[in-house]
Amino acid sequence: MKHAFLIIAHNNWWQLKQLIKQLDSEFHDIYIHIDKRCKDFDQGIFSEMTLKSKIYFFQEYKVYWGGYSLVEVELFLLENAFRNNYDYYHIISGGDLLITSNQEFDAFFENNKGFEFIDFDDNKLINDPEILRRVRLYHFLQNFRRISGSSFINSIFVFFERCLLLLQIILQIDRTKKLNWTIKYGSQWVSITNDLTKEVLNHKKNVKEVFRFTNCADELFIQTIAYNSMFRDKIFENEIDSLMNNMRVVDWKRGKNGSPYTFCSSDFENIIHSKGLFARKFSEEIDKEIILKINNYVNGVDYEISL
């Protein structure tokens, strides 16, 4: 089987190199999108790497957290990889790590061929009315409220967006009234087959029409397409944790401000015994040792290391 890894990254280039080394295999190709706003990215630092994988770098979009630009990047990477025809397409971030060996990873998908590894969080969708408001209301300033390095300027955009949202609520605006899709919600990080990738790309125009002014649409569009198609019956069900249907280990309980917890060395044993394939998130700036430990572990090397 052939796998395409679609990585969305914006910093921590040493860490990105470690992730690439993990994924390197004759059966794996790597597609990396670097945020266009990154001024310190130098592709030359990766040219020294001798790889079995084919690797492709792109820097096409300015990416804003929660903005439609994230959907554009995912569609862009899927489209570029789809031209080369893979069995699976894995969307991951530059803050992720593989937590199993390439051999075990490949064997898992060989044994579960045809399933779609997508997280659906129906409990949060039901209990958090804000999620459906993302689609019902127009979020015209979703990018602009995060465009500046100044918190004061950003707060101005946030204020104006809230005013626009309040006005829409008063006017009872609902963009979903005529929508044929049932909106679904979950993690943007997925592993999907070639057939579902084709289905997603076939709906590219619809995705733009529905989600262009949707806040955090990256957590909605693939789930919505999969659920409203024949692929609904192909969703993998994780017997350990339904929120790990995408085989990603993420700790939201210890996270803050809408971001997942950043793993440290003390989390090592829990991570490797989690039965996941990927984990997020990690940061070389917070704990470099955990990255090295996991790298050694997946390569079958003694993980007692010193920095």
Side-chain angles (χ1 to χ4, degrees):
M1 295 178 70
K2 292 283 290 183
H3 298 269
F5 295 86
L6 316 181
I7 303 175
I8 302 173
H10 66 277
N11 63 3
N12 292 346
W13 311 129
W14 173 86
Q15 181 176 336
L16 181 59
K17 287 178 77 171
Q18 308 314 306
L19 175 58
I20 292 171
K21 289 176 183 177
Q22 281 192 327
L23 300 174
D24 186 33
S25 164
E26 61 184 310
F27 305 111
H28 300 170
D29 288 342
I30 304 169
Y31 297 75
I32 303 174
H33 185 279
I34 305 296
D35 190 341
K36 200 171 184 177
R37 295 182 298 165
C38 294
K39 304 302 180 184
D40 64 337
F41 174 70
D42 178 8
Q43 188 174 329
I45 65 175
F46 297 89
S47 61
E48 64 194 43
M49 302 177 70
T50 302
L51 300 172
K52 300 173 186 175
S53 300
K54 293 179 182 177
I55 185 167
Y56 306 87
F57 283 95
F58 306 94
Q59 202 166 5
E60 298 293 320
Y61 294 93
K62 293 181 179 179
V63 183
Y64 300 96
W65 182 89
Y68 184 70
S69 54
L70 271 169
V71 175
E72 291 180 307
V73 168
E74 289 185 34
L75 290 172
F76 175 82
L77 290 172
L78 285 169
E79 200 166 36
N80 276 274
F82 184 72
R83 297 187 184 119
N84 293 320
N85 192 29
Y86 297 91
D87 293 286
Y88 274 95
Y89 301 76
H90 310 275
I91 300 177
I92 60 178
S93 82
D96 293 6
L97 287 177
L98 192 65
I99 56 174
T100 187
S101 69
N102 280 334
Q103 293 78 13
E104 291 173 332
F105 181 92
D106 292 350
F108 176 86
F109 283 96
E110 196 71 59
N111 294 332
N112 293 281
K113 190 173 183 179
F115 285 106
E116 308 296 343
F117 297 85
I118 306 173
D119 160 47
F120 288 86
D121 193 342
D122 287 338
N123 286 332
K124 189 170 182 179
L125 182 63
I126 293 169
N127 296 317
D128 187 349
E130 181 276 331
I131 294 175
L132 286 179
R133 279 201 295 267
R134 296 181 189 180
V135 190
R136 288 174 180 162
L137 306 178
Y138 292 93
H139 294 73
F140 294 112
L141 302 178
Q142 57 181 315
N143 283 345
F144 294 99
R145 65 181 185 169
R146 302 180 181 95
I147 202 169
S148 170
S150 166
S151 58
F152 174 72
I153 294 175
N154 288 344
S155 65
I156 293 175
F157 282 115
V158 169
F159 171 76
F160 280 115
E161 182 170 76
R162 287 177 177 172
C163 291
L164 288 170
L165 294 175
L166 178 60
L167 179 61
Q168 291 178 73
I169 291 171
I170 293 171
L171 295 174
Q172 297 185 334
I173 300 296
D174 185 354
R175 294 192 292 141
T176 64
K177 281 182 178 179
K178 298 181 180 180
L179 189 63
N180 293 324
W181 284 342
T182 299
I183 298 298
K184 287 294 181 178
Y185 163 81
S187 169
Q188 76 178 97
W189 315 111
V190 300
S191 295
I192 58 177
T193 62
N194 191 69
D195 288 339
L196 179 51
T197 299
K198 182 179 180 180
E199 181 79 2
V200 170
L201 294 176
N202 284 342
H203 284 290
K204 189 175 178 180
K205 182 179 179 181
N206 305 80
V207 168
K208 186 173 183 179
E209 289 176 354
V210 175
F211 295 110
R212 183 181 178 189
F213 296 113
T214 296
N215 192 39
C216 296
D218 53 294
E219 297 176 334
L220 301 166
F221 83 105
I222 290 180
Q223 278 79 3
T224 298
I225 292 173
Y227 183 83
N228 291 275
S229 69
M230 64 180 183
F231 297 96
R232 176 178 176 176
D233 298 326
K234 290 290 187 178
I235 305 302
F236 179 77
E237 295 185 9
N238 192 305
E239 296 178 355
I240 299 173
D241 183 350
S242 62
L243 294 182
M244 266 182 59
N245 287 350
N246 61 356
M247 299 304 292
R248 271 75 168 170
V249 178
V250 186
D251 186 346
W252 289 102
K253 291 181 180 179
R254 289 185 288 175
K256 296 179 181 179
N257 301 320
S259 294
Y261 168 75
T262 301
F263 290 118
C264 298
S265 295
S266 58
D267 301 302
F268 176 74
E269 293 293 336
N270 288 334
I271 291 170
I272 64 173
H273 293 112
S274 65
K275 305 299 183 182
L277 299 178
F278 299 98
R280 72 178 306 266
K281 65 180 182 175
F282 301 88
S283 172
E284 64 181 73
E285 297 174 348
I286 294 175
D287 194 323
K288 204 170 186 178
E289 183 177 356
I290 183 64
I291 298 172
L292 293 171
K293 275 187 175 183
I294 289 177
N295 263 11
N296 285 347
Y297 169 76
V298 300
N299 290 320
V301 178
D302 183 1
Y303 58 79
E304 293 298 330
I305 52 98
S306 58
L307 294 175

